[in-house]
Amino acid sequence: MRKKIVAGNWKMNGTLEEGQKLTSEIVNMVKDEVKGEVIIVLNPPYVHLQSVKKLIGDAGNIFLGAQNCSDKSAGAYTGEVSASMLASIGASYVIIGHSERREYFKEANEELTGKVKQALGNRLLPIFCCGEPLEIREKGNHVEYVTQQLTESLFGFSEGEMKKIVIAYEPIWAIGTGKTASSEQAQEMHAAIRKHLAGKFGKALASEISILYGGSCKPDNAEEIFSKPDVDGGLIGGASLKSRDFVDIIKSF
Ligand code: PEP
């Protein structure tokens, strides 16, 4: 059985106080309302990680994640944060290769391999993002584009390493736009991703990998998207900043 995961990506939002309020609300609502086996991951900005960790406390189904890590282990890289630092403060997951980092910080597939390597080497579970821009979707080349991202960044890993990687399919045209992919579009791509992984790592391993959908996922469309057989959860941006919306998305499973 693959893991069902709902991860909130707070991006660069919220003061310390706002982050604490949001976390406390989510923790309390999850305790009262969420039954079942969904894994919840909160990915606040670096500076809030420790305070969020403290507030998560012993909630066994809520985990801490970061939004990025360095592809280097340590040294003279001003402003960077290493995977070992994240692990040392209790992070379990790290988002790697979000489209905003690819676009604004020019993160390329090769560098992303280095980040995944650092994450795995420090026992963090990478949430590896992939997804196509609008012009590629309009040309009908979205499957080739996304599978190439996976090949270039992930196909050098062993089966044991690949097993630990979570994939997040996030069509760029759907991120923060309010324009979500239809559940059929999500299923088509998730099935294609799984088939591509099966071609390299085998069918059994591919069937164990959680593939999350991201892109304007909200309480009113989550249930339909999560109902598709190859969609194993969501990476949630805007709606993860509202405790009620985020918990309602979790409850869509
Ligand atoms: C994201 O940034 O990962 C994301 C999915 O954003 P949103 O939900 O706001 O589209």
Side-chain angles (χ1 to χ4, degrees):
M1 271 288 282
R2 14 179 214 272
K3 291 189 273 191
K4 293 188 186 312
I5 301 171
V6 177
N9 174 15
W10 295 7
K11 311 194 186 192
M12 195 176 72
N13 288 296
T15 61
L16 175 62
E17 202 176 41
E18 287 162 347
Q20 288 176 324
K21 182 171 177 284
L22 177 60
T23 308
S24 300
E25 288 171 0
I26 291 170
V27 169
N28 289 330
M29 284 182 195
V30 165
K31 203 186 297 163
D32 293 343
E33 302 173 29
V34 176
K35 313 272 172 277
E37 296 186 346
V38 183
I39 287 174
I40 299 153
V41 188
L42 303 183
N43 299 269
Y46 288 139
V47 289
H48 300 339
L49 282 165
Q50 282 183 283
S51 68
V52 169
K53 175 75 183 169
K54 215 182 243 176
L55 291 165
I56 290 173
D58 59 4
N61 52 351
I62 308 181
F63 295 85
L64 186 70
Q67 298 172 20
N68 182 30
C69 70
S70 175
D71 63 333
K72 312 286 192 304
S73 55
Y77 301 103
T78 302
E80 286 291 271
V81 171
S82 72
S84 66
M85 292 172 189
L86 297 174
S88 76
I89 54 135
S92 303
Y93 288 81
V94 58
I95 297 171
I96 291 175
H98 190 281
S99 61
E100 287 153 15
R101 297 217 53 92
R102 291 175 187 261
E103 182 180 351
Y104 305 133
F105 303 97
K106 307 294 170 229
E107 292 187 359
N109 289 336
E110 193 184 313
E111 183 186 352
L112 299 178
T113 305
K115 290 180 182 232
V116 172
K117 212 174 271 175
Q118 284 296 326
L120 291 171
N122 288 284
R123 283 191 233 108
L124 295 174
L125 301 174
I127 300 176
F128 182 84
C129 299
C130 55
E132 80 286 357
L134 185 59
E135 62 272 21
I136 297 290
R137 165 69 59 170
E138 284 175 344
K139 281 188 198 142
N141 294 337
H142 44 289
V143 170
E144 291 77 3
Y145 185 93
V146 168
T147 52
Q148 190 175 340
Q149 286 180 319
L150 299 175
T151 302
E152 289 183 11
S153 290
L154 303 181
F155 274 23
F157 288 104
S158 68
E159 287 177 21
E161 289 169 323
M162 188 64 223
K163 214 186 259 186
K164 296 182 184 133
I165 300 172
V166 175
I167 305 287
Y169 168 58
E170 300 205 301
I172 296 170
W173 46 272
I175 295 179
T177 58
K179 194 173 160 190
T180 186
S182 68
S183 57
E184 289 76 22
Q185 286 172 320
Q187 171 57 27
E188 181 210 20
M189 184 61 91
H190 284 225
I193 290 171
R194 205 176 299 288
K195 190 171 163 211
H196 189 62
L197 295 173
K200 168 74 181 168
F201 298 100
K203 221 171 165 185
L205 190 144
S207 74
E208 279 181 44
I209 293 180
S210 299
I211 306 177
L212 317 184
Y213 168 79
S216 298
C217 199
K218 304 274 186 275
D220 61 2
N221 59 29
E223 191 173 344
E224 167 67 19
I225 295 172
F226 294 171
S227 72
K228 294 296 176 190
D230 285 292
V231 178
D232 307 307
L235 179 53
I236 318 298
S240 74
L241 296 171
K242 294 181 191 142
S243 53
R244 183 70 271 160
D245 285 0
F246 186 57
V247 175
D248 282 347
I249 290 171
I250 297 165
K251 287 164 71 182
S252 301
F253 270 118

